[in-house]
Amino acid sequence: MKLVPLFDKVVLKQLVAEETTKSGIVLPGAAKEKPQQAEVIAVGPGGVIDGKEVTMQVKAGDKVIYSKYSGTEVEIEDEKYVIVKQNDILAVVE
Amino acid sequence: MKLVPLFDKVVLKQLVAEETTKSGIVLPGAAKEKPQQAEVIAVGPGGVIDGKEVTMQVKAGDKVIYSKYSGTEVEIEDEKYVIVKQNDILAVVE
Amino acid sequence: MKLVPLFDKVVLKQLVAEETTKSGIVLPGAAKEKPQQAEVIAVGPGGVIDGKEVTMQVKAGDKVIYSKYSGTEVEIEDEKYVIVKQNDILAVVE
Amino acid sequence: MKLVPLFDKVVLKQLVAEETTKSGIVLPGAAKEKPQQAEVIAVGPGGVIDGKEVTMQVKAGDKVIYSKYSGTEVEIEDEKYVIVKQNDILAVVE
Amino acid sequence: MKLVPLFDKVVLKQLVAEETTKSGIVLPGAAKEKPQQAEVIAVGPGGVIDGKEVTMQVKAGDKVIYSKYSGTEVEIEDEKYVIVKQNDILAVVE
Amino acid sequence: MKLVPLFDKVVLKQLVAEETTKSGIVLPGAAKEKPQQAEVIAVGPGGVIDGKEVTMQVKAGDKVIYSKYSGTEVEIEDEKYVIVKQNDILAVVE
Amino acid sequence: MKLVPLFDKVVLKQLVAEETTKSGIVLPGAAKEKPQQAEVIAVGPGGVIDGKEVTMQVKAGDKVIYSKYSGTEVEIEDEKYVIVKQNDILAVVE
């Protein structure tokens, strides 16, 4: 089963927050914020959307930061994904 | 009786949430979220909508993920449907 | 007395919800939802609206589904109508 | 004293709700809804408004239905008027 | 000291509500609504605003009706003014 | 240290509200409203903003009235400024 | 690890609020407002965004004032950043 996004939609998979901070402190559950880093799983074709040409600038495999509160969470075969518009992706992490 | 959507509207029929998870656990009612997967039943003609050319990219029979909280539920002859704009469809499930 | 809608407005008359379900059960008042099916009574001329060309795609006599919470209810000579924009009509029922 | 509307504004005078229904029943005050029928008193010149050409399609003397909650009530020499945009007029009553 | 409005702004001075109604009844304070009639004091130059050509259609000295809740009240040398966009002016009173 | 505004932004410095009214009455603190008069300190270059050409019409040294609730207060070296868009400036005081 | 912003996004790093005011008073924690000054760390490529050409006017190393409440805070390797649209940057501090 595969998700094929429409238009400027991008399928993301959140990266698991690391359990320890850089300085080695183990974070209890409540101290771990919802991570905003995600890996790009699939990218829509872009094209003319709402009368405007949109070029896709991310590709599958990119690690990205995306905007808090954006996107729709979906669950397919017990795997969770977030589908966002490309415009809700803020930066690529290299 | 048949629903013929106007413009960029798409008639969807929600797919029934499966009663057991992949690992075989039977979910009680309350644990089953409103499913966001649906089958496309009928697709509007697209065309110039609000001054912008819209091409329809889904077709009857497609399985799709659509945006939570979008769409209008309608009931025709005891069958329930959801009518959404194509733009509220996030991805096709293949 | 006749309602002549302006621009992209459409005059609808709600269809009466049927008193029994397909399986023959008589529904008490509270179980009957506000019906969203309506018959088109009169259609505006379309034309350039808000700087955009709008073509009317419904005609008097069509049975349509329209968007919940849209439209304005009016009462003329003890008859109730709903006036909506064509864009609030989701599908024609054939 | 005369109201000369600007742009696409239209001056309306609400029609008095009739005191009896068609079947002859006298309505007590509370049963009478704010009437949405009005007579057109004066019509703005139209023209280019917000970058878009607007043609006026109603004229003084027309009886019209206008959108609930729209418009501004004004009182000039103890006469009450409602000033709406032409776009808030839903239909002409003929 | 003089107020010179920018763009499509218009400086208004509210007209004092008359203390008696036409029929001679003296209104107590609470019965007097905030008057919506005002005199135009100064008019911006118009021109291209937000990418759209705006022509000014009112002039200093005009008596106008303006939209409730619009505009910004300013006080210059103990005189109160309201600055509105021309689009918030509904009609000229002649 | 100097603030150089981008695009159509304007740096303002609020003018101190005078302590006495024209008639000589000294106002206690609570009676003094947040003044809306300000002096223009620096003006952005204008240009094409959000796809629309913007020409700057105010200059450093102008005394202006700006819209209540607009702008962002900033503090640089213990001096307070307000940065607004030119469109939030209502009038120049001459 | 490096943040590469998309489109008109800009990665900022907040400047630490100085512990003492110009006059030498040490501010307790609660008196220190969230600083709005930040250093530009990385700048997106600009280009056609939402159908409009955007030119980037800030560069890495610039000290800028940005709009309160805008932007998304992200944390990468225990370093905190704010990602804003260029349009939320109000002024460069020189």
Side-chain angles (χ1 to χ4, degrees), chain E residues 5-9 43-49 53-56, chain F residues 57:
Chain E
L6 292 184
F7 301 104
D8 61 342
K9 305 298 190 308
V43 177
V48 177
I49 298 165
E53 181 73 33
V54 175
T55 315
M56 302 309 284
Chain F
Q57 305 199 340

Side-chain angles (χ1 to χ4, degrees), chain D residues 24-75:
Chain D
I25 298 164
V26 179
L27 288 167
K32 283 182 294 188
E33 268 206 338
K34 180 186 158 206
Q36 293 170 262
Q37 284 196 51
E39 192 183 328
V40 175
I41 302 299
V43 178
V48 176
I49 298 164
D50 212 23
K52 287 153 196 160
E53 180 73 33
V54 175
T55 316
M56 301 310 283
Q57 305 200 342
V58 292
K59 59 181 186 305
D62 279 356
K63 284 195 176 133
V64 298
I65 305 288
Y66 67 99
S67 178
K68 268 194 287 209
Y69 313 122
S70 68
T72 299
E73 294 184 16
V74 298
E75 192 171 337

Side-chain angles (χ1 to χ4, degrees), chain A residues 17-49:
Chain A
E18 294 186 19
E19 298 294 305
T20 53
T21 67
K22 218 158 98 175
S23 48
I25 298 163
V26 179
L27 288 167
K32 282 181 292 188
E33 267 207 339
K34 182 186 156 206
Q36 293 169 263
Q37 284 196 51
E39 192 183 329
V40 175
I41 301 300
V43 177
V48 176
I49 298 164

Side-chain angles (χ1 to χ4, degrees), chain F residues 16 28-29 40 47 55 63 65 67-68 76-77 79 83 90 94:
Chain F
V16 179
V40 175
T55 315
K63 284 195 177 135
I65 304 287
S67 177
K68 267 195 288 208
I76 301 282
E77 297 177 335
E79 292 278 348
I83 303 180
L90 302 168
E94 290 191 347

Side-chain angles (χ1 to χ4, degrees), chain E residues 1-6 9-16 37-44 56 58-64 66 74 76 79-84 89, chain F residues 91-92:
Chain E
M1 220 180 235
K2 210 179 81 176
L3 284 169
V4 182
L6 292 184
K9 305 298 190 308
V10 177
V11 179
L12 301 177
K13 182 146 194 57
Q14 282 193 332
L15 296 177
V16 178
Q37 284 196 51
E39 191 183 329
V40 175
I41 301 299
V43 177
M56 302 309 284
V58 292
K59 57 180 188 306
D62 280 356
K63 283 194 177 136
V64 298
Y66 67 99
V74 299
I76 301 282
E79 291 278 349
K80 284 182 175 163
Y81 301 95
V82 180
I83 304 180
V84 300
I89 297 178
Chain F
V92 175

